[in-house]
Amino acid sequence: MKRVSVPGTWLGLILVFLAAWSPAAAQEGDAAPDEGQDSPEKVEDQESEKEEKGPYKDFEELTENAVVREGFFDTYQKADKLYMAIPQERLGEEFLLAFQIAQGIGARSLFGGTMLNIFEGAVVQLERHGDRVFLVRRAHRFTGGGDAAVEEAVKLTFSPSVLKSAKIESFRADSALVIDLNGWLVSDLSDISQRVKRAVSETPSKPGAASFAKDLSYLESVKAFPKNLNAVARLTFKPGKPVSISSVPDSRFISVAIHYTMAELPADLMRSRLADDRVGTFLTVQKDFAQDDKTFFRRYVNKWRLEPAPGARPDADGLVEPVKPIIYYIDNTVPEEYRPYLKAGVEEWNRAYEAAGFKNAIRAEPLPEGADPEDIRYATLRWNVSDQPGYGAIGPSIVDPRSGEILDADILFEASMVLGWKRAWRTLVTPTAAIEEMLEASPEELASIAAGGEMATLGAEISAQGSLLRAFLAATGKLNPNDAVPMSYVGETLKWVTMHEVGHTLGLRHNFRSSYDTPIDKLHDRAWVEQNGLTGSVMEYPTINLAPKGESVGYFYTPTVGTYDLWAIAFAYTPDEARAERLAREGALNGHEYGTDEDARGSGALDPSINVYDLSRDPLEWAMGRARLIRSLWPELPEAVLADNSPYYDLTDAFQMTLTQYARAVAVGVKYIGGQYQYRDHVGDRDARGPFVNVPKARQERALGFITEYGFGQDAFDVPRNVLREFGANRWSHWGNKNTIDGRIDYPLLEQVLSLQRTLLGQLIRPARLARILDAELKYGSDHVVTIPELFLALTESIWSEVWSGTTRNVTAGRRDLQRAYVALFTELVVKPPSNTPADARSVARHRLADLERRIGMRLGNPDGLDAYTVPHLEESRARIGKALDAGLQIQEGD
């Protein structure tokens, strides 16, 4: 109530008035009531009852005819109200709040089934303050480690976040508070608006504009279970600018269904396992201010609660049964023909748990009749469809952020992942993007993947690998052009993908070095692979394993968990703490190779043995073999792809797919230049290696030779003319279909190749790589490193071989484009070098341009035999180089 100030003079007058009025009032009160009027006693009782109830409504009246659901929290749904009863004793109780996209738009990272807070669910409480209940999120990352004084200091320092509030509507007979939950759920509580804004953005690195339309949003469903309460709300957003998304019926209104889970947290915390940086596990990280450590960090392994049964005695193999095995339930959304492969992928992990000391630790079963996959008691494998392929498959988990215990997991598989294994040829990744994906990653992407995500184009890549297998089998006479790949081959893929995603939900991060565990001569040794794995870990991103023509083929994808997986699971899950500590020190042993996302891609990636989409202990030799194989397919593609009644654009799509795979193979060579092998061993570990070991110069030179031959050589992209003439155009004109390539109906081979080459060249002369070369010279000596002068000379000789040779040679169209790109990039190094470019690199680039200008001049001095394209091209290049040298010299003088 608003308080009113009354001046003293007026207060006196009011008191006099009240004194004069009181007797009359008393007389009226003594009079007999009129007929039908409540007696003073009854009025007093009513006022007393009203005062006791306050502003609250009668519970029975409030919930009359409501749909009642008893569970983790009891709810009463009535019209657009969702009342939730909160027992008084549960105020202040911690529980988990998690968000998931229940239904997305099938595109632009808004995919149904993906979790919005992967791993780190919100620990929340319900608090009453006055007539309202508040949803409060606790700062669970900080702890006092059980020390009472430190715990008080933590409470004093870190405040909670108040997420929502609701007025108390009523009280149940047992005194439980009743609030309307609708306002919390039909809101942006999940922060999904940030993803929607990125989905409507015109600039990938900058969010667009989208406003939440509450009047177009509503509560869709509610489900109550013993340990969790689930609800789905349909939320609608209006883009700030017109946007066209083919999978959305009307792009002016983007509707996303959000799945909320309120879940019970274990009453007794799981015994946590301290993590180790030599083993790739997902982490629950806290700052424990009670521990005597310079950082206060406590890092715990994310894992299921797997404990030996009380009194269990080991069998003859030293294995014990767990109290409760890990069970994954296969949802009925999974096509029946795929279910056996998913089941096999789950149960293959028993090999790893046996290494940890458990038998029958994990299994897959059909989802029981009547069970709901949204029930937190069921970890599930589910099938999903999308308009645009995305992650392929994803394995997020819900984790208790207090201990690292995995409470639930729901793995999703995209149907589009297997398109390439059927009859689709198209790849959604360009050759240029393929190179960038092999080497680059933004900090934001790495953070997302480190939290359990997958590369955005993983599904497209798996599909493309299936297309490559089809082309290979058709070219070798094992498949007709229109045939789908046999189900047994598809099954190999699905089993590997299942093992990979289950591995994530068991607590394992990606391991992109694990392919290094397999000798190259063992790739097609089926017996060896069945024992050790095609890669040392299923947490790898492998490429499909194809044998050179004429050689026997082994497994296309690994059939089992690898040696690293056995070691990592044993470390995370063994009940013996002392054994876990011993295992952590075995990272240098053969079969335990580990390198993860930030080691493979991004600014810090310098180890050529840690890659996505490669194979074997010798990635360079493997890449050279893969590039040769793909080039050998180009002349045979028409026969392998086109059959009676086939559209000619199938050949175009198939070639684009092979060009993308070719680009990935060539990109493997880049990190060898100035590269170093990176190790996580600790001092004193068995067979420990230093933190960085130089890549031998001979390997660097071989990699550079591979790149210059297969990336910049005159015959690198020699596609026969009869093949080029059969490249057709996709003439379907409708939504969801792109019928041009960069606006061209005909296939722009020169543009595609130039874009690939420009990207490859740009990667080789990146400032970070050039700076790394100079530092490597200091550490290892210039005789042990491909130096900047040697790198620039090799590139120049390869790209400008026509002016280096002693014979008259014309420059073809593709070569002219490449040479112009060289001049542009080296001019930039001289005139306007990118940030952090070493000064030595600018000087050497200027020297190379000056030498090139001289050589072009010599070639133009005797132009006999040069055609009408070559002479103007050389003249223009010489002029541009001259201007660059003049401008660069002026800049250097001004420095």
Side-chain angles (χ1 to χ4, degrees):
M1 178 180 292
K2 187 175 181 180
R3 187 171 294 177
V4 180
S5 176
V6 181
T9 304
W10 285 102
L11 180 61
L13 292 173
I14 292 171
L15 291 174
V16 170
F17 171 79
L18 289 174
W21 173 83
S22 294
Q27 292 173 3
E28 287 181 15
D30 292 336
D34 295 336
E35 185 77 19
Q37 185 178 359
D38 289 339
S39 67
E41 293 81 4
K42 188 172 182 181
V43 170
E44 186 176 342
D45 289 343
Q46 289 175 342
E47 290 298 323
S48 175
E49 184 180 347
K50 183 176 181 182
E51 183 177 338
E52 183 180 324
K53 281 190 175 181
Y56 311 119
K57 301 172 185 176
D58 179 77
F59 175 75
E60 298 299 333
E61 182 181 335
L62 186 74
T63 60
E64 186 179 5
N65 298 323
V67 177
V68 181
R69 299 180 181 90
E70 295 181 351
F72 181 59
F73 282 108
D74 295 342
T75 63
Y76 306 83
Q77 190 170 10
K78 184 177 179 181
D80 62 348
K81 303 291 186 181
L82 179 66
Y83 298 111
M84 183 174 79
I86 309 165
Q88 296 272 3
E89 65 273 15
R90 294 187 63 186
L91 289 171
E93 172 191 300
E94 290 185 337
F95 63 92
L96 197 70
L97 176 62
F99 311 108
Q100 190 177 36
I101 300 178
Q103 187 181 54
I105 62 175
R108 305 194 183 194
S109 297
L110 291 173
F111 296 106
T114 54
M115 291 184 176
L116 298 181
N117 47 356
I118 296 177
F119 293 145
E120 196 168 9
V123 175
V124 297
Q125 295 173 316
L126 296 171
E127 298 180 0
R128 179 184 180 181
H129 299 283
D131 290 332
R132 301 189 72 82
V133 171
F134 293 80
L135 178 66
V136 179
R137 180 173 183 177
R138 292 295 170 192
H140 62 266
R141 291 180 172 178
F142 306 100
T143 176
D147 184 302
V150 181
E151 291 286 5
E152 285 300 315
V154 169
K155 290 179 182 178
L156 181 67
T157 305
F158 302 105
S159 66
S161 295
V162 179
L163 306 181
K164 287 287 183 181
S165 76
K167 69 177 183 178
I168 300 173
E169 302 284 349
S170 181
F171 286 88
R172 202 165 58 179
D174 62 355
S175 78
L177 292 70
V178 179
I179 64 172
D180 181 7
L181 207 60
N182 194 76
W184 293 5
L185 304 179
V186 185
S187 75
D188 193 28
L189 176 61
S190 67
D191 203 27
I192 186 61
S193 63
Q194 297 306 310
R195 288 206 182 194
V196 174
K197 288 175 182 177
R198 289 195 294 270
V200 301
S201 173
E202 297 176 353
T203 307
S205 60
K206 184 179 179 181
S211 59
F212 175 54
K214 189 166 185 177
D215 60 321
L216 301 179
S217 305
Y218 52 89
L219 187 63
E220 202 166 72
S221 67
V222 181
K223 295 180 181 179
F225 305 101
K227 293 187 176 183
N228 58 293
L229 171 66
N230 291 353
V232 175
R234 172 73 55 183
L235 308 181
T236 298
F237 295 85
K238 294 181 179 179
K241 293 182 179 179
V243 61
S244 178
I245 304 176
S246 62
S247 61
V248 177
D250 189 330
S251 295
R252 295 175 300 168
F253 308 96
I254 297 177
S255 293
V256 180
I258 298 299
H259 182 278
Y260 301 87
T261 295
M262 297 180 182
E264 178 182 85
L265 285 169
D268 58 318
L269 293 182
M270 179 190 72
R271 184 181 180 187
S272 300
R273 170 64 39 80
L274 285 175
D276 193 283
D277 66 338
R278 290 162 289 195
V279 189
T281 57
F282 289 118
L283 308 176
T284 289
V285 181
Q286 300 172 356
K287 271 198 170 182
D288 181 353
F289 293 99
Q291 68 168 329
D292 184 17
D293 182 88
K294 60 184 177 181
T295 66
F296 300 114
F297 279 122
R298 297 280 285 180
R299 306 171 180 93
Y300 301 116
V301 171
N302 287 356
K303 61 176 196 146
W304 294 89
R305 188 185 298 234
L306 196 69
E307 300 166 333
R313 299 176 63 85
D315 64 12
D317 296 318
L319 305 179
V320 297
E321 294 268 1
V323 174
K324 181 183 178 183
I326 304 167
I327 304 176
Y328 288 81
Y329 295 93
I330 302 175
D331 189 43
N332 58 15
T333 56
V334 178
E336 276 194 55
E337 60 182 338
Y338 298 152
R339 294 177 193 177
Y341 304 110
L342 271 59
K343 179 178 174 63
V346 171
E347 296 180 351
E348 194 68 34
W349 278 102
N350 274 309
R351 281 192 65 200
Y353 281 103
E354 288 170 4
F358 291 97
K359 63 180 178 181
N360 303 321
I362 185 170
R363 66 177 185 265
E365 298 178 357
L367 188 66
E369 187 73 28
D372 194 309
E374 294 177 9
D375 190 335
I376 200 170
R377 294 174 297 175
Y378 298 98
T380 59
L381 307 178
R382 306 174 75 179
W383 203 252
N384 189 24
V385 295
S386 59
D387 177 53
Q388 300 170 14
Y391 47 78
I394 192 168
S397 306
I398 294 179
V399 175
D400 184 346
R402 305 169 304 169
S403 65
E405 179 182 357
I406 299 173
L407 304 175
D408 187 27
D410 293 294
I411 299 173
L412 288 169
F413 299 86
E414 279 192 309
S416 56
M417 174 180 61
V418 297
L419 282 178
W421 301 82
K422 299 293 186 179
R423 290 180 175 81
W425 288 105
R426 178 164 293 188
T427 177
L428 299 179
V429 179
T430 66
T432 299
I435 294 175
E436 292 173 341
E437 283 184 351
M438 294 287 290
L439 302 167
E440 297 293 341
S442 68
E444 294 77 15
E445 182 188 2
L446 289 176
S448 173
I449 294 175
E454 302 286 6
M455 282 176 59
T457 57
L458 175 61
E461 171 60 19
I462 294 173
S463 182
Q465 291 179 20
S467 293
L468 180 61
L469 175 61
R470 287 176 57 221
F472 172 78
L473 292 175
T476 53
K478 297 182 176 66
L479 203 68
N480 292 321
N482 278 341
D483 291 345
V485 172
M487 181 54 65
S488 59
Y489 296 170
V490 181
E492 281 190 35
T493 314
L494 290 173
K495 184 180 178 183
W496 163 69
V497 172
T498 303
M499 289 189 290
H500 180 97
E501 299 306 337
V502 168
H504 279 322
T505 63
L506 300 177
L508 299 186
R509 287 196 65 181
H510 287 136
N511 183 358
F512 297 144
R513 193 191 210 131
S514 75
S515 55
Y516 205 66
D517 280 325
T518 305
I520 195 167
D521 61 353
K522 296 294 185 182
L523 286 177
H524 300 287
D525 185 333
R526 294 179 71 89
W528 193 94
V529 167
E530 286 167 2
Q531 181 62 34
N532 300 278
L534 185 59
T535 53
S537 173
V538 297
M539 306 315 297
E540 177 75 78
Y541 275 7
T543 188
I544 190 164
N545 184 31
L546 301 178
K549 289 183 178 179
E551 295 187 17
S552 60
V553 178
Y555 285 97
F556 295 112
Y557 289 99
T558 188
T560 186
V561 293
T563 50
Y564 166 86
D565 300 320
L566 272 60
W567 172 61
I569 290 293
F571 162 77
Y573 283 88
T574 177
D576 186 340
E577 290 288 343
R579 184 187 178 215
E581 292 178 10
R582 293 194 302 271
L583 285 168
R585 305 208 67 178
E586 296 179 356
L589 299 187
N590 189 36
H592 295 173
E593 297 286 0
Y594 171 60
T596 192
D597 300 276
E598 56 269 26
D599 303 320
R601 303 162 61 229
S603 59
L606 79 167
D607 189 329
S609 70
I610 308 175
N611 299 301
V612 295
Y613 308 133
D614 73 338
L615 287 172
S616 92
R617 181 171 290 278
D618 196 335
L620 182 59
E621 293 302 318
W622 170 85
M624 295 172 72
R626 174 57 59 91
R628 282 194 298 270
L629 176 64
I630 292 175
R631 282 211 311 211
S632 74
L633 290 178
W634 287 341
E636 303 171 11
L637 270 184
E639 186 176 345
V641 173
L642 299 177
D644 181 50
N645 205 31
S646 294
Y648 281 99
Y649 63 75
D650 274 357
L651 178 61
T652 312
D653 290 344
F655 175 78
Q656 183 77 342
M657 174 272 298
T658 60
L659 187 61
T660 296
Q661 295 298 313
Y662 183 88
R664 291 203 191 281
V666 177
V668 167
V670 172
K671 283 191 287 187
Y672 282 89
I673 313 304
Q676 299 170 57
Y677 298 113
Q678 173 188 348
Y679 299 106
R680 295 169 177 254
D681 308 339
H682 290 193
V683 177
D685 284 355
R686 182 179 167 188
D687 297 338
R689 301 151 294 191
F692 296 99
V693 175
N694 186 49
V695 173
K697 185 171 184 176
R699 298 301 290 166
Q700 295 189 39
E701 290 173 333
R702 184 160 176 77
L704 185 55
F706 168 53
I707 294 169
T708 54
E709 178 183 354
Y710 283 80
F712 305 129
Q714 284 188 306
D715 301 325
F717 302 92
D718 188 14
V719 183
R721 288 180 175 175
N722 67 299
V723 175
L724 292 173
R725 285 195 292 266
E726 294 195 66
F727 284 175
N730 183 334
R731 303 313 299 141
W732 287 111
S733 299
H734 57 74
W735 67 267
N737 186 70
K738 188 176 180 181
N739 61 6
T740 65
I741 299 177
D742 293 335
R744 291 268 299 273
I745 295 176
D746 58 326
Y747 182 72
L749 177 64
L750 293 178
E751 292 177 12
Q752 292 291 301
V753 170
L754 176 62
S755 179
L756 183 163
Q757 292 176 319
R758 187 189 289 118
T759 301
L760 190 61
L761 182 58
Q763 284 291 336
L764 288 167
I765 62 174
R766 285 187 68 212
R769 192 172 319 282
L770 301 177
R772 189 174 291 141
I773 289 173
L774 291 174
D775 284 329
E777 289 185 50
L778 288 176
K779 285 200 289 186
Y780 309 114
S782 58
D783 291 343
H784 298 280
V785 178
V786 168
T787 65
I788 293 175
E790 291 170 338
L791 171 62
F792 285 8
L793 176 60
L795 293 174
T796 309
E797 285 184 341
S798 173
I799 294 171
W800 287 90
S801 60
E802 291 86 351
V803 301
W804 243 262
S805 65
T807 58
T808 300
R809 290 165 55 195
N810 286 306
V811 186
T812 58
R815 299 282 295 167
R816 294 193 295 269
D817 287 340
L818 174 59
Q819 290 170 5
R820 292 185 187 104
Y822 169 100
V823 171
L825 288 171
F826 272 67
T827 295
E828 183 180 17
L829 280 179
V830 172
V831 177
K832 192 178 179 181
S835 177
N836 300 321
T837 299
D840 284 337
R842 185 174 70 180
S843 299
V844 176
R846 188 179 189 283
H847 174 74
R848 285 269 59 91
L849 286 176
D851 182 60
L852 179 58
E853 181 191 38
R854 179 182 62 82
R855 291 174 180 272
I856 292 175
M858 292 174 59
R859 178 61 64 201
L860 287 172
N862 182 20
D864 293 343
L866 298 181
D867 64 26
Y869 281 110
T870 300
V871 172
H873 164 65
L874 294 178
E875 290 175 342
E876 180 188 39
S877 298
R878 186 185 183 195
R880 288 183 180 276
I881 292 171
K883 288 185 178 181
L885 294 174
D886 291 341
L889 187 59
Q890 292 172 12
I891 290 173
Q892 288 177 353
E893 290 174 348
D895 285 348

